[in-house]
Amino acid sequence: MRPTIHFTPASGWINDPHGITATDDGYQVFFQYVPGRTEWAPDCHWGHATGRDLLSLREKQVAIAPGDGDDGIWTGCIVGTGRSARAFYTAISTPDFGIGRVRVAHPVDDQWTVWAKDDVVVHAPEGMDLIAFRDPFIRREADGWRMFVGGADRDGTARALTYTSRNLEEWSYDGVALERSTALHDPVWMGALWECPQVFELGDRSMLISSIWDADVLHYAAYAVGTFLEGRFEAADWTKLTWGPSLYAPSLFTDAEGELALTFWLRGIRGENWVGAHSIPYRIAEVDGRLVATPHPDVAAHRSAPAPDGVVDGLAADIEWSQPGGSLAISSGGEDAVRVEVDGGEAVVATSTDEYRIPVDGVIRMIIDGPVLELSSSAGLFAAAVEPKGSDLSVAVSAGTVMVCALS
């Protein structure tokens, strides 16, 4: 059972999306990819997909592969457009792949199909007892460029390390932008390593969003809110963004309308010869000092007309539940695929195999797409694998107002 609008590989394993770039005729998307296997391995490639919008992606040939001194091509980012674009990626060596290095590649053609490797431009700083160093993210600054890389110290301190450059070629280490001990749990635990640390401005706040890692266990996405000035981030608050077993590795990008958005890796989504999917894209905004993510307008563009009886053909639907209270059931083939029970600001989400307790606030939006369930409200995001048994979906609520649209 393959999703309709969620990107999945034709075969093999995928995880982190990255380098998502809006172009004149759609989007270019890259991702960690292990061809020919359905489990992760360190010899990752950069997979590549393109589409007219973020839900119409089609897989292309591998963009960057191991070799030329790289045993694996891990997560990074893309800066620039056309043939002047540069991919900054984590190059790793086995067997000790925890400490990566940042290497550059450039496109050989206008379609970004073939990339040629250039030099290594950043190594882990000396004098730190790091056990992990990876995932470059680059942003423009007034006098040049700034890179952030995730680092984990052996003592359990998670760090966002930062580098600066005037030309994207020579980089200078500029110290620790932000750090936090894994021993701290209030108001939210932030782990021992921030994978994919990304610093950006949203509203009148600075934010750092990352994936929370500890001892090779992947947890959730969370973020810091505060002030970023002269290479240093002063955090005023820490907040969890995602719940459930699936959402991880958010990738920040600017969409075709110039708005900031996120796409995540979805864990636990699999078929016969493929594993991994990418989430729907989310637009993000700052509301009362918090990051609020809502499904991207590209999702609504794939809707059919609302189904007055709550029944849609196929296994992909967009569900909006206003004034939620009591229960909402999504059934397929005569069996519940998902049941959501809301009581105040909390919901219990039950699938055929598991039950999850999550915060909710305001309108609840649910995207079900074959084996994928994503749920969003202003309190955060949730995703998990589901197992619809029939060929259509039926939605019923005990309270509130629901709108159900098929997706294609």
Side-chain angles (χ1 to χ4, degrees):
M1 183 165 54
R2 189 181 287 270
T4 298
I5 62 168
H6 288 78
F7 177 72
T8 57
S11 63
W13 164 287
I14 68 169
N15 52 306
D16 303 8
H18 48 246
I20 303 173
T21 304
T23 65
D24 291 339
D25 55 359
Y27 287 90
Q28 305 264 6
V29 176
F30 299 85
F31 49 90
Q32 273 193 201
Y33 174 46
V34 182
R37 277 170 286 179
T38 54
E39 59 185 32
W40 182 85
D43 58 336
C44 294
H45 301 52
W46 265 33
H48 181 207
T50 63
R52 60 179 172 81
D53 65 29
L54 290 161
L55 303 178
S56 302
L57 299 173
R58 295 295 178 265
E59 190 173 349
K60 303 295 184 180
Q61 71 182 54
V62 166
I64 311 174
D68 303 308
D70 302 330
D71 292 335
I73 312 296
W74 288 18
T75 302
C77 63
I78 289 179
V79 177
T81 60
R83 293 200 188 188
S84 66
R86 293 294 179 266
F88 292 79
Y89 65 89
T90 306
I92 63 96
S93 296
T94 54
D96 299 321
F97 51 74
I99 305 295
R101 55 197 179 274
V102 180
R103 192 170 180 180
V104 182
H106 68 271
V108 174
D109 61 298
D110 293 333
Q111 291 72 43
W112 291 5
T113 303
V114 178
W115 293 70
K117 295 179 181 179
D118 298 318
D119 295 333
V120 172
V121 295
V122 165
H123 292 272
E126 297 181 358
M128 286 188 178
D129 191 14
L130 297 178
I131 61 169
F133 179 82
R134 55 178 173 265
D135 306 336
F137 171 77
I138 295 173
R139 59 180 260 174
R140 194 75 162 95
E141 294 197 340
D143 55 352
W145 303 87
R146 182 173 294 276
M147 178 189 297
F148 301 90
V149 184
D153 197 275
R154 196 173 302 277
D155 68 4
T157 302
R159 293 191 171 103
L161 307 174
T162 187
Y163 298 76
T164 58
S165 174
R166 292 187 176 275
N167 55 14
L168 292 174
E169 296 176 3
E170 293 88 22
W171 292 85
S172 299
Y173 178 56
D174 191 41
V176 178
L178 181 62
E179 64 182 16
R180 195 166 193 252
S181 171
T182 190
L184 299 176
H185 288 257
D186 186 30
V188 63
W189 179 71
M190 293 293 291
L193 168 66
W194 298 333
E195 295 195 286
C196 311
Q198 297 154 95
V199 176
F200 55 99
E201 314 306 319
L202 197 60
D204 60 356
R205 309 294 179 96
S206 297
M207 297 194 182
L208 178 146
I209 190 169
S210 64
S211 301
I212 308 308
W213 176 102
D214 184 62
D216 283 333
V217 177
L218 314 183
H219 292 270
Y220 45 77
Y223 62 96
V225 180
T227 303
F228 183 71
L229 184 63
E230 296 181 352
R232 301 296 177 263
F233 196 114
E234 294 293 333
D237 197 12
W238 307 83
T239 305
K240 187 175 176 180
L241 179 62
T242 68
W243 281 260
S246 199
L247 290 164
Y248 196 74
S251 181
L252 180 75
F253 65 97
T254 302
D255 70 13
E257 285 73 48
E259 301 291 334
L260 286 180
L262 294 171
T263 296
F264 297 76
W265 167 36
L266 293 175
R267 299 173 288 172
I269 310 300
R270 63 181 61 236
E272 183 176 348
N273 64 343
W274 60 270
V275 175
H278 289 167
S279 75
I280 63 167
Y282 291 89
R283 281 259 181 94
I284 58 174
E286 181 265 327
V287 179
D288 296 330
R290 298 172 70 89
L291 188 159
V292 173
T294 55
H296 194 275
D298 279 5
V299 178
H302 283 255
R303 284 174 170 173
S304 65
D309 57 358
V311 178
V312 299
D313 291 331
L315 298 178
D318 186 350
I319 303 161
E320 289 192 27
W321 189 13
S322 303
Q323 294 92 44
S327 65
L328 180 148
I330 306 173
S331 60
S332 180
E335 299 180 19
D336 280 355
V338 180
R339 179 171 288 272
V340 182
E341 300 281 349
V342 174
D343 184 8
E346 189 174 70
V348 176
V349 182
T351 69
S352 60
T353 57
D354 291 290
E355 188 173 285
Y356 309 91
R357 193 173 298 274
I358 65 172
V360 290
D361 183 35
V363 174
I364 295 175
R365 184 94 170 260
M366 282 174 279
I367 308 296
I368 184 168
D369 184 17
V372 177
L373 172 71
E374 295 190 64
L375 183 153
S376 60
S377 76
S378 60
L381 306 176
F382 166 87
V386 293
E387 298 178 359
K389 299 297 185 182
S391 58
D392 60 8
L393 298 169
S394 177
V395 179
V397 295
S398 65
T401 303
V402 68
M403 181 179 73
V404 183
C405 300
L407 290 168
S408 61

